[in-house]
Amino acid sequence: MTADYVFLEDLPQADERMIRAHAADLIAMAEDLGLSDVRYASDNRLVVSVSDHFQRLGPFTFAEEASYLLGRRIHVYSDEVLKNPGVSPDLVAATPL
């Protein structure tokens, strides 16, 4: 018996409609990992705030779990990325879910 395993990078990108349709699930998932203020930046890109009590790999774990929940690839960025010079404008302009 074989099981089909889909690699994360093989998933299609999540679009805004799908992400916003699952906003409550994504927010709850983020909170379980010590993340908050989940924001939509662009297709398959979310920005989160990291609390003092976040899991060390919280943003990575959130991206992986959210991707498999939706069956679509999602990248998650900590709001620390906003301090980088030349940061992508969509990350700066991210809007709350």
Side-chain angles (χ1 to χ4, degrees):
M1 180 182 244
T2 62
D4 292 332
Y5 180 80
V6 177
F7 290 97
L8 188 62
E9 52 276 349
D10 292 336
L11 292 173
Q13 292 185 8
D15 62 15
E16 182 174 12
R17 180 196 57 77
M18 177 171 277
I19 290 170
R20 292 200 183 275
H22 292 89
D25 293 330
L26 294 170
I27 291 167
M29 185 182 296
E31 288 174 350
D32 287 345
L33 296 167
L35 306 172
S36 63
D37 194 21
V38 182
R39 301 173 306 259
Y40 172 82
S42 60
D43 285 356
N44 90 318
R45 291 163 56 113
L46 298 176
V47 179
V48 296
S49 294
V50 177
S51 74
D52 292 337
H53 304 289
F54 77 101
Q55 291 186 15
R56 190 165 100 75
L57 296 175
F60 173 79
T61 302
F62 177 48
E64 185 176 55
E65 290 180 4
S67 294
Y68 284 119
L69 171 75
L70 301 181
R72 299 283 190 268
R73 185 178 51 218
I74 294 179
H75 294 281
V76 176
Y77 300 87
S78 160
D79 52 11
E80 289 294 312
V81 75
L82 303 176
K83 297 176 183 176
N84 294 340
V87 66
S88 180
D90 66 322
L91 297 177
V92 175
T95 58
L97 288 188

